[in-house]
Amino acid sequence: MLAKIKQLFSDSAAFALALMGNKIVAFLLIPVYTRQLDPTRFGDWDLTNTIAMVITYFCILGTDTAFAFYFFEAKDQKDRQGYFTAAVFFPALVSLGFLLIALFISAPTANLLYEDPSGYPNLLTLAVLTIVANVIIQQTLAYARFAREVKTFMAGSMSYVIGSSLASVWFVVIGKMGVLGIFYGQILAQSVVAAILLWHYRKQFTRHVEKKHVRDLLSYGIPLLPTLLAFWVMNAVSRPMIYHMVSSDEAGIYGLAVRFASIIVLITSAFQLAWRPFSVSIKEQEDAQQIYSLLGRGFLVLGTFFVMFLTFFIKPIIEVATGNPDYYEAYPYVWMLALGTVLNTMHLIVGVGLLINKKTKDISKTFMVAALVYLVGNLVLVPVIGAWGTSSMTVVTYLYVFLSIYRKGKAAYQVDFRMRSMLLYLGLYIAVMGAITWMQVGGWSGLWLYYVAAAVLMVAAVFLTGLFNVESIKLLQRMIPKLLRKR
C-alpha cells in the first residue's frame, strides 16, 4: 500500500510542478490582459473561451477517460498503440468537422454572441482552430501521463502554455489586436507544440488500427456524452446568462473570478491526472478500499484548506494583480467556484467503483440531473443577484453530484469513505466560509483574528467530525517515515 500511495503522490507532485508553472504563467497574464482589455472585452474573451471548451468536450467524446482505462487493459504494446492512435486522431478528425462548421457560422452568429461584435466575424473560427491542435496535445500528453513519462509531460504541457502565453502577449500588447490577438498567439504556439509531440511519438502510432480500438474507446466514452452535455450547461450557460441578463461588465468580472478560482487546479488537476491510472492499477489489491478511503478524505481536507487560505488573501491579490478598480469586486465569488472544483474532483474518488466497473452511464445520469438543477437555479437567481447566483449554484450543484455519485459508487463497489463525517465537515466549512465572505464584503475590521479562529475551528472539525481519528493519525505516522526513507 505504501509503495502505491508513494507512486500516486510522486506522480501528482510531478504533474503539479508542470501545472504550477502553467498557472504562474497564466496568472502573469492577468495584469497584462486587465490593463489591455476593459471588463466588456474581457467578458467577450471569457465567453469565447467557454464556447471553445464545450466544443472540445464534443471533439474528445470521452475518449480521454476511455484511453486511461484501455491503456492498462491492452493485451500488449501493439494493442496499446492501436488505442493510442485512435485516441489521438479520431478527436482530431471530429475537431476538423467543427472547424468546417465554424467557417460558415462564425460571422452570422457574432451579432448574437457579443454585445459589440465589431471586429469579431472570424473570432469563433479562430477559437475552434485552436481546438484542433489542443486535442492532439491533450491526447498525446495523456499517453505521457499513463506511461509515467514525466519529463515529456512537463516539457509538453509547459511549452504549450508558456508558448501560447508569450505569443498571445505579443499580439495583444505589441500588435494591439485585443481579443483576436489572444487566439492568434494560441494558434501559432499550439500548432508548433502539437507538431513536435506528433513527431516525438511517431513510433507509437500505428496504421493497423482495428475497429475494436475505436469501438472500445467510443463504447466507454460515448455514455459520458450526457455528462458532456451537462458540462456544457454547467460551464457555458452561466456565462452568456450573466453577459446578457446582467451586463457584459459583470460577465468580465465573473470571468476573472473564475480564473483566480482555477488556482485550485494546482491540487485538483495534478491529483486527477494521477488518480485515473492509479485507481485502475490498484483495483485488484486487497487494501485498495482502504487506500481509496484514506486518499478521498485526505484530498477533501487538503482541498478545502487550500480554498480557505486562498480566501484570506484573495482580495489584495486581485487588487495588486489587476491594477484596475473595475475588477476588484471579483473576490467574493472565488471560494465558491474553487470549492465547486474540489467537489467535482471528489466525485471521481467516491465514484471509483463506477469507473472500475465501466458504469459510466450512471455518472452521466447524475450530471444530467445536476445540469437541470444548475440551469433552473441560474435562471431564478442570476436576474436577481447576478454572479452571486451562479457562484452559489456551483456549490449546490457539485455537492449534489458528489452525493449522488457516492451513492451509486457504493452500490457498485464498497468503500467506507466515512460519508457522515464528510457531510458534517462540509456543512461546517460552508457556514464558516459564508461568514468570512460576509465579513469581507461588510468591511469588518480585525479580519485576521477571525481568519485565525476559522482556521483553528476547521482543524478541530477534522477530528471532531470523525473525518480522521486516532487510528488514521497512527497510520499516517507509520507511513510518513517509511515514505521519507524510500525517497
Side-chain angles (χ1 to χ4, degrees), residues 447-466:
L447 278 175
W448 287 108
L449 292 174
Y450 296 104
Y451 292 165
V452 172
V456 171
L457 176 61
M458 292 314 304
V459 169
V462 171
F463 302 99
L464 294 176
T465 60

Side-chain angles (χ1 to χ4, degrees), residues 107-258:
T109 58
N111 289 324
L112 298 174
L113 290 174
Y114 306 108
E115 187 176 274
D116 179 8
S118 59
Y120 288 168
N122 299 313
L123 183 57
L124 184 61
T125 301
L126 294 176
V128 177
L129 187 56
T130 65
I131 296 173
V132 179
N134 194 11
V135 296
I136 293 174
I137 293 171
Q138 285 190 42
Q139 300 296 74
T140 51
L141 289 181
Y143 184 93
R145 293 201 317 271
F146 305 150
R148 301 191 67 196
E149 297 177 5
V150 177
K151 291 182 179 179
T152 301
F153 175 82
M154 292 179 67
S157 62
M158 293 184 74
S159 298
Y160 153 58
V161 173
I162 294 173
S164 297
S165 301
L166 292 176
S168 294
V169 167
W170 191 92
F171 282 109
V172 172
V173 177
I174 307 300
K176 302 295 182 182
M177 296 183 181
V179 175
L180 293 173
I182 298 175
F183 289 101
Y184 284 137
Q186 291 177 352
I187 292 168
L188 176 63
Q190 291 176 19
S191 299
V192 172
V193 174
I196 292 173
L197 286 172
L198 288 174
W199 175 258
H200 178 76
Y201 283 110
R202 64 191 183 282
K203 294 182 180 179
Q204 300 301 330
F205 294 118
T206 178
R207 296 179 181 178
H208 306 291
V209 178
E210 301 177 12
K211 289 183 179 179
K212 84 176 188 72
H213 293 136
V214 178
R215 184 177 64 247
D216 287 347
L217 291 176
L218 293 179
S219 64
Y220 192 103
I222 286 295
L224 293 172
L225 189 57
T227 304
L228 301 180
L229 289 170
F231 273 120
W232 179 81
V233 173
M234 297 169 68
N235 290 288
V237 169
S238 61
R239 309 302 182 63
M241 286 176 68
I242 296 173
Y243 189 101
H244 292 289
M245 297 174 70
V246 184
S247 70
S248 56
D249 283 356
E250 181 86 351
I253 291 171
Y254 177 79
L256 183 71
V258 171

Side-chain angles (χ1 to χ4, degrees), residues 295-317:
L295 293 176
R297 288 178 281 128
F299 178 83
L300 178 63
V301 172
L302 179 63
T304 51
F305 269 85
F306 186 96
V307 174
M308 174 178 281
F309 288 120
L310 174 64
T311 303
F312 294 162
F313 299 97
I314 192 61
K315 186 175 181 180
I317 289 175

